[in-house]
Amino acid sequence: MAALVGPHAKPANAATGRVLAPPASRAGLALICAILGVLTFGRLLWNGLGDDGGIGGLLRGPDDFTRMAQVVDWMDGQGWYDLVQRRMDPPEGVATHLSRLADLPLAAAILMAEPWLGRAKALEAAALVVPPLLGGLFVGLFCWAAAPLAGHRRTLPLVLMVPALMVPIGQFHPGRVDHHGLQLLLAALAIGLLLRVLESNRSRTGASLGAAGGASWAIGLETLPLVAAIAVALGLAWALRGVRASALGAFGMGLFGAAATGLMLTLPPMDWAAAQCDRLSIAQLALAALVLTAGCGALLLERQLPQCGPMPRTALLGGLGMAGLASVAGLLPICVIAPYAGLPDELRYWFGSVAEAQSLLSLLAATPGNAIAMATLPLAALAFAGAQAMRPGSRDDRRWMALAALLLATGAAMAWQVRSAPQAGLAAAVALVPLAAEVNRRATDFTTLLGRLAARLSLPIFCLALLTAPQWTARTFATPARPPEEPCELQPALAVLNDPGEFGATPRTIAAPIDLGPELLLLTAHSVLAAPVHRNVRGLRDHRRLFGGTEQEARGIVEARDVAAILFCSRYAPFTNHPNRPGYLNERLAAGNPPPWLAPVLLRDGMGLYRVRPPKGRDGGAHRN
């Protein structure tokens, strides 16, 4: 295959002499990126306009309800550094690991809409508009990021590769208000800046690249593998004389500066010295300092020994890397191996049921269509980037090595936990843009308009087939599914819980399935015993013992935690049963035979809301059946 950057490629780096393709004109590129962004925003927004279920029907899952509840608490007076959700596992509450920075877009939208719509409708408007707006920005950033790979004055390859973004765009549907969309924005920005650093060797671009990586850490640590791969790619490019040490050092400065700023913005001073596995802390700041040290060492070596070859350079970076990683190992003892090490063994059932925390192998066993759909495009892109990196005419182009490193890192992270699949999908779409440029160039050889159109559409159709065919095939040829689970309609229970004549007069503690905990926090004034937050250890433990333990455990927890009501949904019961033993309360409620200390308030198919009767002696009487 000929050069994949178009026939008009020109040298872009005098230091290496490698041939690079200049991007399209800035005005034309800006226009096409803006058009793609606006179209994406409109399409995503349209998906949510027909939803009439209010904020409860719009938000996508427990993480989104938790995020919105945190935003509401902040707007109602909770401090910037105060991330304790006091209505979760009362009375102490749970100190969450969510970054306050991700609350800013939602809070801004709510503040603008609330004077006109009221609080409830303002929350709904923010959940409806903010994710698609970020999605439009994401596609625009993807267009800009991949432009250096698209060839000279060719924006069509960028348009053709937008369908390959199906997996990451899923994070921008209306109601997806958690922080993953912001992380993808910064990931697209970082990839674009990386490609430009490798082209231009500009220190300012390197500093911006580091700042983007550090900012992404301040929002959430899911981008840590991506930023680590960027650091490795830049280090190897310097070792192979692909970039100057000044660019590597600037990247380290930007990363450390942004991470330090993020640490100060998201944690109170008293917590700055504490190492944490699940959010930006002194441990991750030490990693950024390691990158800065490597950049400074590279700059010193380059100035003192300008003729130094690849081996000493690689030895310097390797030695610094090994020493630095050994020094921070005490700060990050088992975070990589067991990120939820704080959970006791009896709560592993909950970690095993979290969809985004599954390994790719586990997902392959459970839903092979979904697993294959996630993995095929990144694997294809990795094979393509690796092949191009090994081609004799491309070995001086460090961009291929960098893209392969990004795909390896995000692919490995996805294999560990599928929550990284959107980042792997983004890296794959960027890496395949040169192939789209080549397909577009060769399409001009066809003499008919239909032939040129078919040739140009072949690659996006192929990408869509890789993303959708495995799921379609799995659904088509799957064995007969198990009977559908009984529904758990929460709206009738919410009406009762918010009714002043029932539970709504005074906030109470509700024991409900943990996946419904965040929804109750947002849509009622009550507290919940547990929610799907890994720091909620005490609440999760008591929740399991309440629903899946013995009669004595259940009654003891109800009294000790002052539980006023129990919400039961049969579809969630298996997650709380002890191994080899049915839970007393689950078993009684599933059979429609509640214990005498529970009074039915609302019963529906698969769902029941029960009032806890006061124990004997507290109200002067005994239990009533």
Side-chain angles (χ1 to χ4, degrees):
M1 181 178 288
L4 297 180
V5 291
H8 304 288
K10 298 178 181 179
N13 191 328
T16 62
R18 64 177 181 268
V19 177
L20 302 174
S25 67
R26 291 184 178 180
L29 176 63
L31 178 61
I32 193 64
C33 291
I35 291 174
L36 288 175
V38 170
L39 291 176
T40 302
F41 167 71
R43 181 65 183 89
L44 291 170
L45 185 63
W46 181 261
N47 290 341
L49 290 178
D51 196 319
D52 57 356
I55 186 69
L58 192 59
L59 296 181
R60 297 278 171 159
D63 290 347
D64 302 304
F65 280 100
T66 303
R67 172 67 61 185
M68 191 63 82
Q70 175 172 292
V71 173
V72 170
D73 288 344
W74 179 39
M75 296 180 66
D76 287 342
Q78 195 163 355
W80 173 267
Y81 289 119
D82 185 1
L83 297 176
V84 176
Q85 179 48 257
R86 289 176 174 79
R87 292 188 296 126
M88 184 189 302
D89 191 16
E92 291 85 359
V94 177
T96 68
H97 67 293
L98 302 179
S99 171
R100 187 68 82 187
L101 297 177
D103 298 344
L104 292 174
L106 293 168
I110 294 169
L111 285 173
M112 288 188 291
E114 189 171 6
W116 308 94
L117 303 176
R119 171 59 65 85
K121 287 295 184 180
L123 295 180
E124 186 177 351
L128 175 67
V129 174
V130 170
L133 181 60
L134 296 179
L137 292 173
F138 168 73
V139 171
L141 271 176
F142 160 77
C143 174
W144 167 84
L149 303 173
H152 182 56
R153 295 182 180 177
R154 286 188 173 91
T155 54
L156 185 58
L158 300 172
V159 179
L160 294 176
M161 287 311 301
V162 169
L165 295 171
M166 179 183 293
V167 172
I169 284 179
Q171 298 297 322
F172 299 100
H173 284 290
R176 290 293 290 154
V177 299
D178 203 15
H179 62 279
H180 302 297
L182 283 173
Q183 287 185 311
L184 284 170
L185 281 176
L186 290 169
L189 177 62
I191 292 174
L193 289 170
L194 173 62
L195 295 176
R196 285 159 175 80
V197 169
L198 294 173
E199 284 185 1
S200 66
N201 256 319
R202 292 178 181 172
S203 299
R204 183 173 59 183
T205 308
S208 300
L209 171 59
S216 70
W217 285 2
I219 292 173
L221 293 183
E222 289 89 347
T223 55
L224 199 152
L226 177 71
V227 177
I230 290 174
V232 170
L234 280 178
L236 289 177
W238 171 76
L240 298 174
R241 295 183 174 271
V243 295
R244 291 190 290 267
S246 57
L248 179 60
F251 168 74
M253 290 182 62
L255 180 64
F256 182 81
T261 302
L263 182 70
M264 292 185 288
L265 286 176
T266 57
L267 286 176
M270 66 183 67
D271 292 337
W272 287 354
Q276 301 182 47
C277 292
D278 56 1
R279 64 171 303 163
L280 180 63
S281 68
I282 189 66
Q284 292 76 32
L285 189 61
L287 294 176
L290 169 63
V291 176
L292 176 58
T293 302
C296 293
L299 190 62
L300 180 63
L301 181 64
E302 189 174 276
R303 289 182 177 179
Q304 297 297 321
L305 298 172
Q307 303 303 320
C308 185
M311 291 301 295
R313 294 181 177 215
T314 304
L316 170 68
L317 294 180
L320 286 173
M322 294 297 293
L325 290 176
S327 65
V328 301
L331 297 175
L332 295 168
I334 53 174
C335 290
V336 175
I337 300 173
Y340 299 105
L343 287 176
D345 291 340
E346 69 176 294
L347 298 181
R348 294 300 174 182
Y349 81 96
W350 170 74
F351 178 72
S353 66
V354 177
E356 65 179 18
Q358 300 289 310
S359 69
L360 191 63
L361 188 61
S362 299
L363 189 67
L364 183 65
T367 56
N370 291 339
I372 295 172
M374 287 181 182
T376 48
L377 194 63
L379 284 175
L382 177 60
F384 175 69
Q388 292 304 311
M390 298 303 296
R391 287 177 61 85
S394 302
R395 288 178 182 172
D396 288 334
D397 189 346
R398 306 304 177 198
R399 297 177 304 175
W400 292 115
M401 177 192 66
L403 289 170
L406 295 184
L407 287 163
L408 278 172
T410 56
M414 177 179 63
W416 179 46
Q417 287 190 353
V418 296
R419 71 173 78 234
S420 295
Q423 294 179 45
L426 167 62
V430 172
L432 290 175
V433 164
L435 182 59
E438 177 66 10
V439 170
N440 180 53
R441 185 186 70 81
R442 295 198 176 193
T444 59
D445 296 337
F446 289 85
T447 57
T448 64
L449 177 62
L450 183 61
R452 290 193 293 272
L453 180 63
R456 284 169 174 146
L457 291 179
S458 60
L459 185 59
I461 291 174
F462 174 71
C463 291
L464 286 175
L466 288 179
L467 292 168
T468 59
Q471 300 179 60
W472 178 85
T473 304
R475 287 194 299 266
T476 302
F477 297 100
T479 56
R482 60 184 180 183
E485 296 175 328
E486 293 183 339
C488 187
E489 295 293 337
L490 190 58
Q491 193 60 40
L494 290 174
V496 175
L497 292 172
N498 288 322
D499 184 357
E502 290 288 349
F503 293 95
T506 305
R508 313 287 185 88
T509 298
I510 312 298
I514 59 174
D515 280 355
L516 300 180
E519 196 165 351
L520 293 174
L521 288 177
L522 180 64
L523 301 180
T524 75
H526 300 295
S527 300
V528 296
L529 185 63
V533 176
H534 63 270
R535 291 189 174 193
N536 181 207
V537 174
R538 187 182 72 156
L540 290 169
R541 181 190 291 116
D542 285 352
H543 175 275
R544 177 158 198 184
R545 292 174 180 172
L546 169 63
F547 283 97
T550 64
E551 179 179 7
Q552 291 75 20
E553 286 177 315
R555 190 60 179 146
I557 288 170
V558 165
E559 294 182 1
R561 305 302 299 273
D562 196 22
V563 175
I566 290 178
L567 179 65
F568 172 78
C569 291
S570 59
R571 65 185 302 176
Y572 295 107
F575 296 134
T576 51
N577 285 340
H578 282 284
N580 305 319
R581 188 183 73 201
Y584 165 78
L585 193 58
N586 274 337
E587 191 174 43
R588 293 288 298 262
L589 297 182
N593 181 28
W597 43 272
L598 288 182
V601 177
L602 177 67
L603 298 176
R604 295 290 180 96
D605 290 341
M607 186 270 287
L609 179 63
Y610 301 87
R611 184 191 308 275
V612 176
R613 289 175 167 146
K616 182 178 180 180
R618 184 175 297 181
D619 62 349
H623 292 308
R624 299 183 300 273
N625 290 323

